[in-house]
Amino acid sequence: MKEISVLEPVFYSEFRCTGGECREHCCKGWNIVLDKPTVNHYLNSSDAEIRAIAKTNIIKTKKSYADWGKISFSQKDDCAFMDEARLCSIHKKLGAAALSPTCANYPRMQKATRYEIKQTLTLSCPEAAKKLLLNSNAMLLREKKELRARELNAPELNEEGRLINLMCTNILFGCGSHTQQGLYGIAMLFLYLEKLENNEEKYAKAEEYFASVLHSVENGEVQQLIDKIKPDYQLQWRLLLRLLNYLRNKKSVRGKATLQRYVDNLYSILSDIADDGRVNLPMQRLDNAWKEKVAPWLAERPHIMRNYLQYRMYNDGFPAIKTHSRLANLYLLTAEWFLLKSLVSSCVAQDGNITEDDVINVIYSFHTLTKHDRLSDKAFLNEIDKTKVNDDISLIYLLT
Ligand code: SF4
């Protein structure tokens, strides 16, 4: 027998679908893929209504056993099986066991290595985002042990990757709501690791340096270093505009209308530049909104940013993109954080206030549009390459 460790964050165990009360139902606005048994089950259902809906609305794709068909959508973009009360007629008439794997599991996901399963939720579900962001213990991990006949059919755990991931997680935890300090601390760690010789002292030295970074974050030295950086508004403005253009041009799917409101808001602020092309005005306006309203608001709710970044470390296995350097991975995370921060700040700059609902909306809709495949990661890295000055360390200009 093999012992398998199953990790489960608190927000995963506490998640309950809100069904008809959901602020943006997942039974609309995107492809719902059905496996072969589900397609056949619905087409041959003993329930006449289910059978009729299936015959008219299931499009057979036959791409693979798991991707055998998809459900067409009504003019309102709703799943054909959604009834007038916005409830699932499959669930109501045939029971939960009849749901397709896609519908039965969403938003739950698993990340597995040979001897470990990490349970997680995708943040494209607004209720999952809410549970993560508003519960201060959301990312506390519970561990269970299971005995199985054999190990999992999954890759081996990369011990070095896990160690670096844990160091980054701890640095971000140590900075509380001052995320810029944590990201700067991780940049320091990655630069140090790049220079480290590959010998038997490597891990002891890495751990020693990690402890010194953590100490510098906690005693304010890292913030003093950030305070000495002259803001590069031009770089910030160019990057934001590129990322916003990418999001605006994404095809219309679930979450797009919600994100579009925030994107348009930020876009209109960024467009207000001086006649001579200087971009200081909009960037200072965003910076003021952040420093005067958003940062103090977040400091009263330190779990919001802390949980979000702990989730990104846990869920993504940061630094996750193996084709790119650790610093390039950090640049991507920093650019995404800078974009989210700017979207939230633009609410304050336009409306004068910020609410928990705004933060949930920005996070879940951003994840819906960008985190269901690796296309957006690649596109964002591409936009970063076009914007950055010299090398990946110019990410520090996003931290001021
Ligand atoms: S998006 Fe989440 S809360 Fe909303 S209906 Fe789907 S699973 Fe339920």
Side-chain angles (χ1 to χ4, degrees), residues 64-77:
S64 66
Y65 182 86
D67 186 351
W68 199 254
K70 62 179 185 178
I71 302 173
S72 66
F73 285 79
S74 70
Q75 280 189 335
K76 283 196 205 151
D77 239 6

Side-chain angles (χ1 to χ4, degrees), residues 7-56:
L7 295 172
E8 201 171 287
V10 164
F11 90 114
Y12 176 93
S13 355
E14 291 189 346
F15 171 78
R16 301 284 176 275
C17 170
T18 53
E21 303 297 312
C22 181
R23 71 177 79 189
E24 188 163 9
H25 217 283
C26 53
C27 305
K28 62 184 297 172
W30 56 6
N31 279 339
I32 298 176
V33 174
L34 305 176
D35 65 354
K36 189 174 177 182
T38 307
V39 170
N40 291 334
H41 184 182
Y42 296 172
L43 286 172
N44 301 310
S45 172
S46 54
D47 184 287
E49 193 188 340
I50 297 292
R51 209 168 54 240
I53 298 174
K55 288 211 164 106
T56 322

